[in-house]
Amino acid sequence: MAGTIEVLVPGGEANPGPPLGPELGPTPVNVQDVVQQINDETAAFDGMEVPVTVEYEDDGSFTISVGVPPTAELVKDEAGFETGSGEPQENFVADLDVEQVKKIAEQKSSDLLSYDSFNAAKEVVGTCTSLGVTIEGNDPREFKQRMEDGEYDDVFVDE
């Protein structure tokens, strides 16, 4: 009967209701223990949708793997807005500074296709473009060009 359950839960706010409860109910695990461990491990992503995988065994033991929220969720949380712009090339909803871009790139690095912080940051900038978020007051496409021109090499250097 061992198996795996994959769900999206709000960070630090999982509960025994849907989507977890109905998935875990027929399994041999203690649902409250699973919920508590998920909340402990996702507390840093407070309120953001976080992918979680629960692997369980017939004896009721379980392991939890916590993924990283989507880049758009990290950008929205860092910039403090709920929804992106309906016209992201025209209307901007928020602004990030270069350190915030770096922070998001570091949080997301394990999930991105990039091999270094510079390219991870470029992926974050791409998400900012689609959400309508400026970076240091500039259109994200302009910021990306400035990155490629070497203006931010000192910021996005892998240690």
Side-chain angles (χ1 to χ4, degrees), residues 5-10 13-25 35 49-50:
I5 296 170
E6 295 179 355
V7 292
L8 273 176
V9 297
E13 299 173 13
N15 63 61
L20 275 174
E23 292 284 335
L24 293 171
V35 168
E49 292 292 306
V50 182

Side-chain angles (χ1 to χ4, degrees), residues 77-90:
D77 183 63
E78 188 67 29
F81 66 97
E82 293 293 319
T83 58
S85 172
E87 299 174 322
Q89 311 303 323
E90 308 291 326

Side-chain angles (χ1 to χ4, degrees), residues 13-148:
E13 299 173 13
N15 63 61
L20 275 174
E23 292 284 335
L24 293 171
T27 71
V29 301
N30 180 315
V31 176
Q32 276 304 103
D33 289 348
V34 173
V35 168
Q36 184 60 51
Q37 187 172 337
I38 288 172
N39 286 337
D40 291 347
E41 292 187 26
T42 63
F45 299 118
D46 184 36
M48 286 186 267
E49 292 292 306
V50 182
V52 174
T53 302
V54 180
E55 294 182 16
Y56 60 89
E57 300 296 331
D58 293 332
D59 64 2
S61 64
F62 63 91
T63 57
I64 294 173
S65 302
V66 176
V68 179
T71 306
E73 288 294 317
L74 295 171
V75 169
K76 286 192 251 181
D77 183 63
E78 188 67 29
F81 66 97
E82 293 293 319
T83 58
S85 172
E87 299 174 322
Q89 311 303 323
E90 308 291 326
N91 298 318
F92 298 102
V93 295
D95 185 62
L96 293 176
D97 63 38
V98 69
E99 288 301 321
Q100 289 173 302
V101 171
K102 181 178 180 180
K103 175 183 173 185
I104 295 165
E106 288 170 351
Q107 288 175 319
K108 198 66 185 159
S109 64
S110 64
D111 273 8
L112 295 176
L113 301 172
S114 304
Y115 294 109
D116 57 34
S117 61
F118 180 82
N119 286 302
K122 281 176 42 178
E123 288 189 46
V124 172
V125 171
T127 300
C128 289
T129 302
S130 64
L131 289 173
V133 175
T134 56
I135 302 167
E136 302 213 326
N138 296 297
D139 183 301
R141 292 167 294 179
E142 293 171 21
F143 182 83
K144 184 177 176 185
Q145 186 59 54
R146 289 169 51 199
M147 284 180 70
E148 290 171 354

